Amino acid sequence: MTGSRRAAWRDLVAPGLASLIALAILLGLGTWQLERKAWKEDLIARILQQSRAEPVAPPAPDAWNEVRDEFRHVRVSGHFLNDRETLVHGLAAGETPGRALQGYYVLTPFARVEGGTVLVNRGFVPTELKAQADRRDGLVEGPTVVTGILRASEARGMFVPEPDPARGEWFNRDVPGIAAARGLTDVAPYLIEADAIPGQTTWPRGGQLRVDLPNNHLQYAFTWFGLAVCLVAVFSVFAWRRLHEADGARTA
């Protein structure tokens, strides 16, 4: 091996090591995304199974486990405290595909027969029906049974405005905050998203929850593995040119 070719090989050591480290990272990220894909598929399957199962009693507040119990289909008996409902700003799917309705979600305390209170998201009302007096036919008075999906209290995101309890302005379903503002005690740390009522013509309308968790991990895995292939190709071309230049210098 000539001196120029040995020098070319030595020049490839540093970029080669850097490329190997980068390749290991890219392959690791791709493999991790495949593992996340399997985890997400199991999660989606569990959520769909729980949300479509026959309704059961919700967990006791001290036994609530968000990971295990959220999205469980539940049934509770009791009566609504309609004078303490809370409106939360929100959007709902309109009758026209791709068009959303602006309005509110109606969160109403529900006094359980067994004792204690749970917030029930009874569903959506359009802005023009914000006032309870304009939708009196949709109020449920007296003993009743509610079925729905168990959900955790909704945390306020970075771009979500702060609530104004004094004015009744809420932008996320904050169970502890709403309970405190309404003077409620012994409130469960979760809420129930009420099921839709077939043939319902009154407001609010339940069944707004859409179990649609994104699962793009396969695309992410392809991206990382694709970058790994590109890295191998680029380094191979770089090494070939470097060695070819050394051979050219030797024969000159």
Side-chain angles (χ1 to χ4, degrees):
M1 182 181 294
T2 64
S4 59
R5 193 168 182 82
R6 283 196 297 268
W9 279 106
R10 285 196 300 268
D11 291 343
L12 291 176
V13 171
L17 289 175
S19 297
L20 283 175
I21 294 173
L23 180 62
I25 292 174
L26 292 173
L27 293 176
L29 289 171
T31 302
W32 176 65
Q33 287 296 339
L34 290 179
E35 294 173 350
R36 291 283 294 177
K37 174 179 175 291
W39 168 82
K40 182 63 72 64
E41 289 173 345
D42 289 341
L43 176 64
I44 293 174
R46 177 179 64 83
I47 288 174
L48 290 176
Q49 181 182 16
Q50 289 189 167
S51 63
R52 296 171 180 173
E54 285 297 313
V56 297
D62 58 355
W64 159 248
N65 183 303
E66 182 176 339
V67 174
R68 182 188 65 234
D69 296 321
E70 192 171 19
F71 293 102
R72 191 177 298 278
H73 199 196
V74 298
R75 177 191 289 114
V76 290
S77 299
H79 65 276
F80 285 108
L81 305 178
N82 291 306
D83 59 330
R84 298 193 190 185
E85 74 173 24
T86 297
L87 301 180
V88 179
H89 287 272
L91 299 173
E95 295 181 358
T96 303
R99 185 177 180 180
L101 296 176
Q102 186 171 0
Y104 301 88
Y105 287 99
V106 180
L107 270 62
T108 307
F110 189 80
R112 300 181 59 190
V113 171
E114 300 86 349
T117 305
V118 60
L119 285 182
V120 174
N121 180 8
R122 295 194 58 217
F124 180 82
V125 295
T127 302
E128 60 269 23
L129 294 177
K130 175 181 179 180
Q132 191 181 91
D134 294 332
R135 46 182 168 82
R136 299 292 302 181
D137 55 348
L139 295 181
V140 178
E141 305 283 359
T144 189
V145 176
V146 172
T147 62
I149 306 299
L150 213 60
R151 292 302 310 275
S153 178
E154 186 178 29
R156 186 171 70 88
M158 182 181 301
F159 302 105
V160 176
E162 291 189 15
D164 187 348
R167 297 177 55 192
E169 294 288 335
W170 296 88
F171 301 91
N172 61 303
R173 282 158 277 193
D174 175 9
V175 173
I178 293 174
R182 288 301 185 184
L184 301 171
T185 58
D186 194 18
V187 180
Y190 47 76
L191 60 88
I192 297 175
E193 300 274 353
D195 289 338
I197 300 176
Q200 182 181 10
T201 58
T202 58
W203 300 88
R205 294 182 184 174
Q208 301 295 329
L209 179 63
R210 301 291 184 268
V211 181
D212 185 20
L213 298 179
N215 185 11
N216 301 317
H217 296 292
L218 185 59
Q219 299 176 28
Y220 300 151
F222 280 143
T223 299
W224 293 121
F225 288 139
L227 289 174
V229 171
C230 291
L231 175 62
V232 172
V234 169
F235 180 78
S236 297
V237 172
F238 168 76
W240 180 85
R241 286 182 176 178
R242 185 71 183 87
L243 294 174
H244 183 70
E245 290 172 357
D247 289 339
R250 178 172 59 85
T251 57

